Amino acid sequence: MFKKIAMIGCALALATLTACGSGDGGGSKGSGGDKLVMGFAQVGAESGWRTANTKSVRESAKSAGIELKFSDAQQKQENQIKAIRSYIQQKVDVIAFSPVVETGWDAVLLEAKRAKIPVILTDRAVDSSDTSLYKTFLGSDFVEEGRKAGKWLTENTDGPAKVAEIQGTTGAAPAIDRQKGFKEAIAGKSDIRIVASQSGDFTRAGGKQVMEALLKSHPDINVVYAHNDDMGLGAIEAIKAAGKKPGTDIKIITVDAVKAGMQALADGEINYIVECNPLLGDQLMDLAKKVVKGEKVPERVVTEETAFTSEQAAKVLKDRKY
Amino acid sequence: MIRGRLLWPLIALAGLILLNVVFTHSFLALRIQDGHLYGSLVDILRNGAPTMLIAVGMTLVIATRGIDLSVGAVAAIAGAIGCTWIADGGDVPTAVLLALAVCVLLGLWNGFLVSVLGIQPIIATLVLMTAGRGGAMLLTEGQIVTVDSSAYRQIGAGFLVLPIAILISLAVLGGVALLTRRTALGMLIEAVGANPEASKLAGVRSRTITWTVYVFAAFCAGVAGLMISSNVSAADANNAGLWIEMDAILAVVIGGTSLAGGRYSLGGTLVGALVIQTLTTTVYTIGVPTNVTLLFKAVVVITVCLLQSPRTARIIGGRRRTPATAPRSQKVAAG
């Protein structure tokens, strides 16, 4: 009983606060004219990629004229559930969130469904048999990223390619999918062969250590495919220490396109970077407007992503936000 | 001299190197590249240097019957301070001094919790283990701070024929060995670990000694953190030194130092740290598939630990070894 009272109290306090803050009286659905209200429950601020993601959502909401209620869950599922409940209480028009983990969302999503508030997933998926609980999932296609990397190699290799693959954290979805896509793309090309594949845990130090060892056990390696920029940057250090020239003696392909990686690409030390885009704010706002109007949206929307060569990187480098 | 518990880790080390030679014939090959030694063995020394240094600090902490879980976080903080200072336009010596000064302060904090407030070491250092990484994240604002400074690079990636990092680690190890084994300090540390009350009554300043070893452990962690960040010219608050406390504890244990405190072997720690790094390099060199990497490492570690246990040794050797309670004289000889 006390718990319930406390909860209502909290909800009231929250509602009061937001009402004062928003300034357009009531702050809930309908009363503020036709300004759309979105509740966004972010994972946290664990990496540079994530910070860029948050910034993009905030900026896009502002320019799209959508009122954004933002919460940071500090990588905890219970915080995210609390935030979503408070958005339901506040009767926002649409809820968007990047689920911290895949499971355990059915109850709170059902509450949102009953309150007739559409939900959009961003960046990470939810593992639930009931797909009616959310409208759409907006995020990167990791397999496609791997395919792009492999495709570039098939088109830009002269002579036999001996590839060292530096994988991400063993078992992580991006690592599994980026490997799968790459293998698909190079299948059937007999002159391209992955001669070694080890995990560098998505870190620079890991990439360097793996590459140091691989250069000794497979001195004939002439291509490196790293599952993210940081491991690629580590590999560059190892290649330099071995007296070889990164980008020339050994071609390097990476995924992500964070600023440090783009710098190396522009400098010619990396040859090709497939983008994994955290700037999905604009696409999210478009989808939000559509689902609120009741328009039909696809169940899966892939983030707009591109890939960069050295020349392209030099052009976009100074506008790179993350 | 090399008897008892140090025998098996040495055999494991030799076995791992042999395994590498079988898979990669040129494993032991060394050549001069750009004026420094280049080869797999050099990589093992350089990459193992931070673990070895932290393990030296950890050895003394464990000898006093303590443990320091915060070393990984302290290493991350040192790297974060060093890199942000240089990235903001500061000079390298100040960056290094500043980072190490903060680490000493953190060590004072750990030592204060343990020796003055009497909090269990595992809990006291857990505070900094969790909070410290958060602090490092705050310093770097959640980003990976990249620096471009050739002077800073020297600490972790530089060479004076041999990698500078391993020279630092070995110098610290040698210094500690001299200081504790040539004076009574080592015995006093062991006395505190064996029985803090009894040693206090016997006139040993157990509080000061306990406090000092935590400060020293944090200092070692700080230098190691600088090596780690300097090795890749970047501070990654999330991942730098992650789980290194576990590697360091493992190195100490493989080296034959008992977690129950009261005795320690610096030579053992040196071998232990080398075994751990060689194991990692072996995985990469012989191409152990990533999904069984952890299993491979676990099997090697368990085997070494099993062979080391007095009971197994008795079964295998068929000879009665010194009882586990009084192997002091032997350890001093080995260390």
Side-chain angles (χ1 to χ4, degrees):
Chain A
M1 193 60 205
F2 280 112
K3 229 177 182 176
K4 269 190 182 164
I5 293 171
M7 254 174 75
I8 295 165
C10 285
L12 277 176
L14 252 172
T16 327
L17 276 174
T18 42
C20 296
S22 66
D24 52 6
S28 57
K29 199 172 180 174
S31 57
D34 43 23
K35 194 171 186 189
L36 206 92
V37 182
M38 171 191 274
F40 188 83
Q42 179 62 287
V43 176
E46 77 278 14
S47 65
W49 192 94
R50 187 69 61 191
T51 330
N53 180 245
T54 299
K55 212 172 154 200
S56 159
V57 170
R58 282 183 193 274
E59 282 171 2
S60 302
K62 207 172 178 187
S63 60
I66 290 177
E67 187 187 329
L68 185 72
K69 296 186 186 300
F70 185 87
S71 72
D72 182 326
Q74 294 170 323
Q75 284 100 261
K76 287 212 173 69
Q77 182 173 31
E78 63 261 35
N79 291 348
Q80 233 175 358
I81 291 179
K82 267 185 223 154
I84 295 170
R85 288 229 163 92
S86 92
Y87 294 146
I88 298 171
Q89 296 268 2
Q90 295 171 52
K91 297 195 177 71
V92 298
D93 296 303
V94 56
I95 293 172
F97 77 112
S98 305
V100 175
V101 291
E102 286 194 337
T103 52
W105 300 102
D106 291 30
V108 70
L109 290 184
L110 198 63
E111 285 171 36
K113 194 182 169 186
R114 287 197 182 124
K116 296 196 170 54
I117 300 174
V119 172
I120 301 173
L121 306 179
T122 65
D123 173 44
R124 300 184 187 180
V126 154
D127 186 12
S128 168
S129 50
D130 187 358
T131 52
S132 75
L133 291 177
Y134 56 90
K135 292 290 175 199
T136 179
F137 165 38
L138 168 67
S140 304
D141 183 346
F142 300 134
V143 181
E144 183 57 30
E145 288 167 1
R147 269 191 221 116
K148 280 184 194 164
K151 190 162 169 281
W152 182 86
L153 182 61
T154 58
E155 287 162 2
N156 289 275
T157 180
D158 32 0
K162 299 202 168 162
V163 186
E165 183 189 36
I166 309 180
Q167 301 178 23
T169 310
T170 312
I176 297 168
D177 290 352
R178 282 171 192 169
Q179 179 176 41
K180 193 174 155 211
F182 186 79
K183 277 189 174 159
E184 264 177 48
I186 61 165
K189 301 273 174 187
S190 55
D191 54 345
I192 300 178
R193 215 160 51 84
I194 299 179
V195 292
S197 181
Q198 287 294 329
S199 168
D201 273 327
F202 283 129
T203 65
R204 229 174 264 200
K208 181 172 181 181
Q209 216 184 118
V210 168
M211 197 59 207
E212 279 172 352
L214 295 187
L215 280 169
K216 274 133 207 160
S217 55
H218 300 85
D220 51 348
I221 285 168
N222 56 11
V223 177
V224 169
Y225 167 47
H227 287 182
N228 78 349
D229 288 346
D230 281 311
M231 294 191 296
L233 291 168
I236 289 175
E237 302 245 340
I239 293 169
K240 279 184 187 164
K244 293 188 178 177
K245 213 167 171 290
T248 317
D249 296 335
I250 297 181
K251 287 202 174 86
I252 302 176
I253 309 165
T254 65
V255 184
D256 257 8
V258 297
K259 200 161 188 173
M262 291 294 271
Q263 182 64 56
L265 180 60
D267 296 343
E269 295 185 328
I270 294 180
N271 301 75
Y272 193 65
I273 298 186
V274 179
E275 186 184 36
C276 180
N277 191 359
L279 309 180
L280 42 74
D282 287 340
Q283 273 178 300
L284 176 63
M285 298 310 149
D286 280 351
L287 282 172
K289 282 179 181 166
K290 279 183 189 160
V291 292
V292 170
K293 275 185 205 152
E295 286 175 30
K296 198 148 176 57
V297 291
E299 260 179 42
R300 174 81 169 90
V301 181
V302 177
T303 332
E304 282 159 17
E305 284 173 341
T306 172
F308 300 97
T309 59
S310 191
E311 298 79 37
Q312 289 161 335
K315 273 182 211 147
V316 298
L317 188 60
K318 67 176 193 318
D319 301 324
R320 206 72 192 161
K321 289 179 194 161
Y322 55 96
Chain B
M1 293 294 275
I2 301 165
R3 284 190 310 146
R5 297 189 171 208
L6 206 49
L7 178 68
W8 290 109
L10 277 173
I11 291 179
L13 186 59
L16 283 172
I17 292 176
L18 197 69
L19 187 66
N20 278 302
V21 175
V22 170
F23 275 85
T24 313
H25 300 304
S26 60
F27 188 77
L28 296 175
L30 290 173
R31 63 179 160 95
I32 299 286
Q33 172 74 46
D34 303 331
H36 62 76
L37 276 176
Y38 177 87
S40 299
L41 294 178
V42 181
D43 286 350
I44 291 175
L45 289 180
R46 212 197 61 239
N47 289 323
T51 313
M52 191 185 293
L53 190 55
I54 289 181
V56 170
M58 190 70 82
T59 307
L60 297 187
V61 171
I62 288 177
T64 65
R65 208 188 279 181
I67 201 143
D68 189 346
L69 296 181
S70 70
V71 285
V74 172
I77 291 175
I81 293 174
C83 285
T84 37
W85 182 264
I86 294 170
D88 290 346
D91 61 321
V92 176
T94 321
V96 170
L97 287 178
L98 192 66
L100 294 181
V102 172
C103 290
V104 166
L105 280 179
L106 294 173
L108 281 170
W109 164 254
N110 274 339
F112 173 74
L113 291 184
V114 175
S115 66
V116 180
L117 298 188
I119 300 173
Q120 293 246 349
I122 201 165
I123 302 299
T125 54
L126 192 65
V127 174
L128 200 54
M129 179 188 178
T130 38
R133 208 162 275 282
M137 293 280 290
L138 263 176
L139 274 170
T140 58
E141 292 167 354
Q143 310 279 354
I144 296 176
V145 180
T146 310
V147 293
D148 184 19
S149 156
S150 56
Y152 189 65
R153 263 184 68 86
Q154 295 303 317
I155 305 171
F159 283 88
L160 285 172
V161 183
L162 279 173
I164 291 176
I166 193 67
L167 295 177
I168 296 175
S169 293
L170 288 177
V172 173
L173 182 81
V176 171
L178 274 181
L179 192 67
T180 60
R181 290 308 188 199
R182 294 286 163 194
T183 68
L185 186 60
M187 208 177 68
L188 297 181
I189 290 174
E190 289 180 333
V192 171
N195 192 333
E197 276 308 305
S199 53
K200 202 169 170 186
L201 292 174
V204 178
R205 287 193 188 171
S206 57
R207 178 184 286 181
T208 315
I209 287 181
T210 311
W211 204 335
T212 312
V213 293
Y214 281 93
V215 174
F216 180 68
F219 174 79
C220 287
V223 178
L226 291 175
M227 283 177 191
I228 293 169
S229 74
S230 142
N231 184 28
V232 289
S233 294
D236 182 350
N238 246 328
N239 296 303
L242 194 62
W243 309 127
I244 204 167
E245 58 275 353
M246 294 302 153
D247 279 351
I249 294 169
L250 190 60
V252 174
V253 172
I254 288 180
T257 299
S258 160
L259 285 179
R263 60 191 173 79
Y264 67 93
S265 157
L266 287 168
T269 298
L270 171 72
V271 177
L274 286 177
V275 167
I276 290 171
Q277 184 55 45
T278 311
L279 190 53
T280 308
T281 306
T282 307
V283 165
Y284 301 146
T285 312
I286 72 174
V288 177
T290 47
N291 45 1
V292 295
T293 298
L294 291 176
L295 185 68
F296 175 79
K297 286 186 173 181
V299 168
V300 174
V301 169
I302 290 171
T303 313
V304 174
C305 290
L306 273 180
L307 288 173
Q308 264 182 311
S309 92
R311 188 163 289 199
T312 337
R314 211 153 53 225
I315 294 167
I316 294 172
R319 62 198 159 99
R320 180 144 179 83
R321 286 180 26 82
T322 344
T325 42
R328 280 275 317 263
S329 54
Q330 180 201 345
K331 275 340 280 181
V332 175

